[in-house]
Each structure stands twice: as C-alpha cells, then as structure tokens.
Amino acid sequence: MYDMTMELKFHSGKCLYEQIYEHIRDEIKGGRLLSGERLPSTRALAQHLQISRSTVDFAYEQLRSEGYIEARPYKGYFVCRLEELPEEDRNTDMLTEKVNVISLEEGGSVSGEISPAIRYDFSPNGLDMSIFPFSVWKKITKNILNDSNKELFALGEPQGDMDLRQTISRYLHSSRGVNCSPEQIVVGAGNDYLLLLLEKLLGRHIGIAMENPTYKRAFNIFRSFSYRIEIVGMDENGMKVEELRTKQVKAAYVMPSHQFPTGVTMPIGRRMELLKWAGEEEERFLIEDDYDSEFRYKGKPIPALQGTDTAGKVIYIGTFSKAIAPAIRVSFMVLPLKLLARYREECYFYSSTVSRIDQRILNEFIKDGYFERYLNKTRKLYREKHELLLQELAPFRRKFRISGENAGLHLLLTCRDEKLTEKELLEKAAACGVRVYGLSDAFVEETELHPEATVLLGYGGMQIKEISEGIEKLKQAWL
C-alpha cells in the first residue's frame, strides 16, 4: 500500500483522528480501498501527514472496532471483506443499479432510468470459460519457462514467430480452406493492430466500403484513420454489390461467413460478385473478417472467401479471442503476395506486438491437439445453449421473428408490432433485471432496412440455468 493522501482541516473544529477515520471509512465503503488491501502503518501514515502517531492510532482503532479493518499480528492493518461490515453500513451503501450508456461494440447496454440490478446479461460478446483447460495451459507455460528457452526473451520476428505462423497456416487450410504460406501471415495483438498495419499498406485517406449495420469497432478504427467510409446496404445475402459499384472505394470490409450483427451467411454467388468487383481494378481489395467461424451448429462449415480468391484480392483477418479466450489477444492477418511485398518494404521496422512466450504457449496448445479438443467441447456446450435458447423462445414467435440462428453466439429477435420501439423493449427488459442489446447500436447511419425493433440475445457467457431464467423474465416483460 502506498502512502494515503487526504486533506486534513486543522481549524475545522473536527478532531484530526475523526477526519482520518471518516476518510478511510468512506474510501472502503466507496470501493476505492479493496477487500484485503493493506493500509499504511500508523507510523508511516503519521509521518506522511506530518501529525502525531497517536492520532492515527485512534483513527485505526475506531475503524477496527467497527469492523472496517482488521489487525494482523506482525503484518499490519488490512481492509475487511464487505460482508464483514456492520449490517447498517451494508444497507446504507446498497443503491439501485443504473443502466449505463455503453456502445454495442464494447459489450454494453442501452441507456435507461433507475432500474433493478441486472441479473441476466444476454451480451453478444460473452464467452463461457468454465471448461477452459487451465491446468493444460499452466503445464505448457511451466514447461516453456525453463532455462533452455532463454531465447524467448529476445526480440522475435516482426511478423510473429515462424513456428506459430506455420501452425496457423496449417490450421487455416484444414479448418477454413484458406490457401496461404506462413510467410503471408502477420501475427498481432488484436485486430486493432492489424487494421493499423493495413492503413500503412492501403494508404491514408482512401475510400472503404462497409455494410450497414456492421461491426462498430472496426468502423470507429477506420474512421480514426481518416478513411472516407462509404456505407453500402445489405439484403438477405449480404453486401449489395450493385450499390458497391456506385462507390469510389479501394477496399470493402465484409464478414461473409457470419456477418455481425445480422448473422447473414453470404452465399457463393454473392461472394463471386465481390471477387469480380475486386478484380476489376489492380488496387482493389476485400478485407475478410472471419471472427467466429468456429461456431456453426447446422450444415457444413462455410469455407473462407480467401480460399476462393485466385487473384490475390482478399486480406484475411482472424482471431483466437473467440475460440480460446478474450485475454489471449492473438490475431492474425493473411496478406496477398502483392501486399506482402509492400509490407516488407514499408513495415519491416514494426516489432511484433505479441509476447514470444505467449506465441510459444499458443503454438504448443494448438500443435499438441489441445485446441481442437477444447474447441469440440465449446462447440458442444454452445450448441446446447443455442438449442435451449431457441426452445425457450418458442412462445415469442407469435410476436417476434427470430433470425441469425445456427451460427455464432447470438441471435436476433425482431418485433412484429411496429408500434413497439427498440428503446421500449430494452427498458421493459431492464425493468425485469434483464439486459439485452439493440441492433440500432450497430448502424452507422439511418436506414429503412430494419424499421422494426430488433434486439440481440447473446448466450455464450450465460449458464444454462441463467438462460432459462432470463427468458422467463423476458416473457413477463414482452409477452
């Protein structure tokens, strides 16, 4: 614990020890001093505040007697757990939760009035880490961090370690039909970094086409590059190529395997139209974001658009954040040969943003078969949740249209009653302690494509029991 800063008023008429007591008490009650956190010693705090040590002793003794802190022999004073506080303090601090305004791409909710605490959060970004093989990950980490792997602490290759890139190349070819060599792969800490590299490769102030609605985070990143973003409408097959042809753009950002947030899977005909558009000019490219292709519950896996590309027009981007864990922060980009040459000329001096230790751990996790086994377990778990959610939503079909199912970790409910607005649906859900997410958060401009109120229901991060209980609450709110 560092020295504690507080303002003491020597001529306020209130004793100094009482001011210290009230400051620390309020810090604990406000959550700014956490359970188990060590307080400065009475001697250190007295010296820091330039007051008598006995004054601090009085304040600490009062806090200890009321149960805010505890004294541990030969260790010092520590903040007690919240449940150890007196009952009247817990009741005083227990406030009604207010739903904050948070954008969809951050996994947040909508704005609303004071409402009951949210008990069920249908976040489309939630993941279930309950079956993650922590012991395996720990074992791999321990085996790697030994004296014989000292080279891992040296600076690695800018594109990422070759062993990992070879493993990713084999995995992409077998699972997604991506045709690439390890030399074409660039490893980065999240898609943000990879998109930053693309700005260097494609140029500044270029035009880029995006679907509407779309992945808002990518939209905001492109906008920060001063790209001229052209919005292209969608139909049941994805981005409208006829409308795309009217835009003066150099690249188009698409999610053909599972569009976010609509869940549309682009058919082969539309994919060929996009490839034809890209091939009409030398400097046109398609940016394929394949963010959650591992989770498909019906039908055959949909190959990546990159696997159909024979002219080197597709920039393929993927991530392990969905398939393994968000904290992994390892993404990868497959560059066409033309852009790879440009990368080596103009971006060779950028160091890799992923620790070599993390790269080695991930490589071993995939290469030794642990990733495949874990992926099979998560697919089974998410399939069970997906089927349960569809089953629980059966009573809603009269008032709502369900779409975006059979892939990914969320689906959409569109209200058939045009009198009900999205905001009303969200507020009614929040009033019952349920957080859902509005499709409007993913739109980047006004459109008539979805005039009906539509909400997203994510189920990845919820337990089986929570899904059933949460849907029961939504029945009370909407039916």
Side-chain angles (χ1 to χ4, degrees):
M1 176 68 191
Y2 298 105
D3 290 332
M4 185 178 296
T5 300
M6 64 185 76
E7 182 181 358
L8 297 180
K9 298 179 181 179
F10 291 87
H11 305 291
S12 66
K14 183 179 289 187
C15 298
L16 293 180
Y17 91 86
E18 189 175 354
Q19 294 181 46
I20 297 172
Y21 154 78
E22 290 179 351
H23 174 84
I24 297 177
R25 180 200 62 188
D26 292 343
E27 291 288 287
I28 295 173
K29 292 170 68 176
R32 293 176 291 276
L33 284 175
L34 304 179
S35 166
E37 190 168 355
R38 186 184 179 193
L39 298 179
S41 68
T42 56
R43 183 189 300 276
L45 185 56
Q47 290 177 347
H48 178 67
L49 298 177
Q50 295 294 296
I51 59 175
S52 166
R53 182 179 178 183
S54 61
T55 302
V56 179
D57 283 332
F58 281 131
Y60 274 27
E61 182 57 31
Q62 185 64 29
L63 289 165
R64 189 194 64 78
S65 64
E66 294 185 14
Y68 288 100
I69 65 175
E70 63 176 349
R72 299 179 187 175
Y74 308 108
K75 293 183 178 180
Y77 291 94
F78 295 82
V79 178
C80 293
R81 293 196 303 271
L82 180 63
E83 58 266 29
E84 293 175 344
L85 296 180
E87 188 66 29
E88 61 268 21
D89 289 315
R90 292 205 302 270
N91 293 338
T92 301
D93 290 338
M94 196 171 295
L95 301 177
T96 305
E97 178 177 337
K98 185 172 184 178
V99 181
N100 296 320
V101 179
I102 309 175
S103 60
L104 180 62
E105 75 262 21
E106 298 298 334
S109 183
V110 297
S111 61
E113 300 301 322
I114 298 297
S115 66
I118 297 298
R119 295 188 58 194
Y120 307 100
D121 188 353
F122 286 91
S123 170
N125 299 312
L127 297 177
D128 192 335
M129 299 303 298
S130 62
I131 59 173
F132 183 79
F134 292 100
S135 59
V136 170
W137 196 269
K138 181 179 179 181
K139 181 182 72 173
I140 295 174
T141 304
K142 183 178 180 181
N143 291 340
I144 288 174
L145 293 177
N146 57 49
D147 293 339
S148 62
N149 287 323
K150 293 179 180 178
E151 75 281 358
L152 290 180
F153 292 88
L155 190 64
E157 300 177 64
Q159 289 181 234
D161 284 357
M162 177 56 75
D163 286 348
L164 177 59
R165 287 187 281 139
Q166 288 176 337
T167 299
I168 292 175
S169 175
R170 290 193 296 268
Y171 166 71
L172 289 178
H173 183 69
S174 62
S175 66
R176 303 294 301 124
V178 171
N179 298 313
C180 69
S181 66
E183 288 75 17
Q184 291 175 258
I185 295 175
V186 179
V187 175
N191 286 11
D192 298 5
Y193 170 73
L194 300 179
L195 295 179
L196 178 64
L197 284 180
L198 274 187
E199 184 206 13
K200 309 302 179 185
L201 301 178
L202 298 179
R204 295 182 62 84
H205 308 292
I206 67 168
I208 185 168
M210 299 190 75
E211 299 158 317
N212 194 31
T214 190
Y215 180 44
K216 204 71 169 288
R217 185 176 185 85
F219 171 82
N220 289 331
I221 291 172
F222 287 140
R223 188 169 57 180
S224 74
F225 296 159
S226 298
Y227 278 0
R228 175 174 47 82
I229 301 176
E230 297 285 350
I231 303 303
V232 179
M234 292 179 60
D235 58 20
E236 66 277 5
N237 293 325
M239 179 179 281
K240 296 178 180 179
V241 180
E242 304 83 11
E243 188 176 335
L244 174 61
R245 292 185 181 280
T246 67
K247 310 293 185 180
Q248 296 298 315
V249 295
K250 186 174 181 177
Y253 174 88
V254 292
M255 296 164 275
S257 295
H258 187 241
Q259 203 273 348
F260 185 89
T262 64
V264 168
T265 298
M266 188 178 291
I268 185 64
R270 183 61 56 86
R271 295 175 183 229
M272 298 308 295
E273 289 181 53
L274 279 175
L275 288 171
K276 182 180 179 181
W277 170 84
E280 290 171 355
E281 292 189 14
E282 185 178 355
E283 284 295 318
R284 276 185 183 171
F285 295 96
L286 297 169
I287 303 171
E288 178 182 13
D289 190 343
D290 202 17
Y291 68 100
D292 71 348
S293 58
E294 291 87 0
F295 304 115
R296 187 168 184 83
Y297 312 118
K298 289 188 179 180
K300 296 180 180 180
I302 307 297
L305 176 65
Q306 194 271 0
T308 315
D309 175 30
T310 58
K313 291 295 182 177
V314 177
I315 303 163
Y316 179 90
I317 296 178
T319 180
F320 290 106
S321 293
K322 284 280 188 182
I324 299 181
I328 295 300
R329 300 302 297 158
V330 177
S331 296
F332 46 87
M333 176 169 61
V334 178
L335 292 173
L337 294 177
K338 181 176 182 178
L339 290 182
L340 176 62
R342 193 175 301 169
Y343 167 85
R344 289 178 173 171
E345 290 176 3
E346 301 178 8
C347 302
Y348 65 92
F349 51 85
Y350 285 98
S351 299
S352 176
T353 53
V354 182
S355 159
R356 295 191 68 197
I357 296 173
D358 292 338
Q359 291 186 58
R360 178 68 68 85
I361 295 170
L362 179 59
N363 183 57
E364 298 296 324
F365 188 72
I366 300 173
K367 190 175 67 174
D368 293 348
Y370 296 113
F371 175 55
E372 183 179 1
R373 289 193 287 273
Y374 174 61
L375 199 54
N376 289 336
K377 289 181 180 179
T378 54
R379 282 197 191 106
K380 180 181 178 182
L381 177 62
Y382 290 143
R383 183 182 293 109
E384 291 176 0
K385 294 182 179 183
H386 172 265
E387 292 174 354
L388 172 64
L389 182 57
L390 287 176
Q391 178 183 329
E392 294 287 348
L393 289 174
F396 290 74
R397 292 184 181 274
R398 184 173 58 87
K399 288 190 174 183
F400 292 86
R401 184 174 67 255
I402 300 174
S403 60
E405 69 271 37
N406 301 328
L409 298 176
H410 76 274
L411 49 79
L412 293 84
L413 262 64
T414 301
C415 186
R416 301 181 191 274
D417 183 357
E418 294 185 4
K419 295 180 181 179
L420 270 178
T421 66
E422 178 188 291
K423 182 180 179 181
E424 289 173 330
L425 290 176
L426 298 175
E427 288 176 347
K428 289 182 177 181
C432 292
V434 181
R435 179 172 293 162
V436 295
Y437 298 77
L439 181 64
S440 64
D441 285 335
F443 280 100
V444 292
E445 68 177 21
E446 293 297 326
T447 179
E448 294 298 322
L449 181 61
H450 284 273
E452 301 161 304
T454 302
V455 298
L456 280 69
L457 292 181
Y459 51 86
M462 302 185 72
Q463 301 303 310
I464 295 292
K465 182 180 178 183
E466 291 176 331
I467 293 175
S468 297
E469 292 176 351
I471 296 300
E472 191 62 35
K473 292 291 185 181
L474 288 181
K475 288 179 185 177
Q476 301 172 19
W478 294 346
L479 300 185

